[in-house]
Amino acid sequence: VLFRLVRRPPSRPKPSPKILAAAGALLVLLVWALWPSPWSRVKNLDSSGLAIIAFGDSLTAGNGASAGEDYPAALSKEIGLAVVNAGVSGDTTEAALSRLDSDVLSKNPRIVLVGLGGNDFLQSVAPSSTEANLRSIVRRIQNAGAMVVILGFTFPSLGADYESMYERVARE
């Protein structure tokens, strides 16, 4: 018969429930504080601008809609704040880029809703040009301190993936 002597390590005292609760609360607080918020990616969330501007083409201008039935007017009624309608029928991203200073940046924007690209598609503008113009518009608005909301559109195209283009620009 063989006996082994096994030394057991000295037992530690069990932590009190209060210490466990405090450690758990601290862990929850740390996870909450360090968890990436979807709002952390929004540029200029703290914008000091004043105006809300809808910048786009005929969809923004309200082409075909009755007076006061365009989306900027409907949005204004819904949120109870003025929304400047800076839509121009027929505008491509290139044309919109040329009027960005006068129609948007000069108006001290806080939020700019950008709805462009439909006329680029209809006029067979290369999607790479549309994307470059849209990216330039977004960057200039952000550099002026305003938030940008991109209104993306889906077009029936076999060769151009506009949906992905809008997503790429929005991620930047």
Side-chain angles (χ1 to χ4, degrees):
V1 177
L2 179 65
F3 291 98
R4 282 191 161 157
L5 293 175
V6 179
R7 285 187 76 174
R8 292 186 182 173
S11 62
R12 293 184 190 168
K14 291 183 180 178
S16 74
K18 287 182 182 179
I19 291 175
L20 289 175
L26 180 61
L27 180 63
V28 168
L29 182 62
L30 281 171
V31 167
W32 175 79
L34 299 175
W35 195 263
S37 165
W39 299 110
S40 67
R41 294 182 18 188
V42 176
K43 291 183 180 172
N44 301 327
L45 191 58
D46 60 347
S47 174
S48 61
L50 300 175
I52 300 171
I53 301 174
F55 184 60
D57 52 27
S58 57
L59 295 174
T60 302
N63 193 24
S66 301
E69 295 298 315
D70 53 271
Y71 96 77
L75 177 62
S76 178
K77 289 177 198 169
E78 186 68 30
I79 64 174
L81 298 168
V83 177
V84 176
N85 187 334
V88 173
S89 292
D91 247 8
T92 60
T93 54
E94 182 178 15
L97 185 56
S98 70
R99 66 184 181 88
L100 183 63
D101 287 322
S102 62
D103 290 2
V104 177
L105 301 181
S106 66
K107 297 182 177 7
N108 191 23
R110 175 177 176 79
I111 301 170
V112 181
L113 307 162
V114 177
L116 293 160
N119 291 310
D120 291 59
F121 172 74
L122 293 173
Q123 295 176 25
S124 300
V125 173
S128 59
S129 294
T130 301
E131 184 170 348
N133 291 332
L134 188 60
R135 184 173 283 112
S136 182
I137 289 167
V138 169
R139 285 181 180 160
R140 288 185 56 200
I141 294 168
Q142 289 175 333
N143 289 341
M147 286 184 283
V148 177
V149 177
I150 299 173
L151 308 177
F153 305 100
T154 303
F155 305 107
S157 172
L158 298 175
D161 185 4
Y162 279 82
E163 191 173 333
S164 293
M165 175 201 64
Y166 289 117
E167 289 175 8
R168 281 190 303 275
V169 173
R171 273 195 296 268
E172 291 181 4

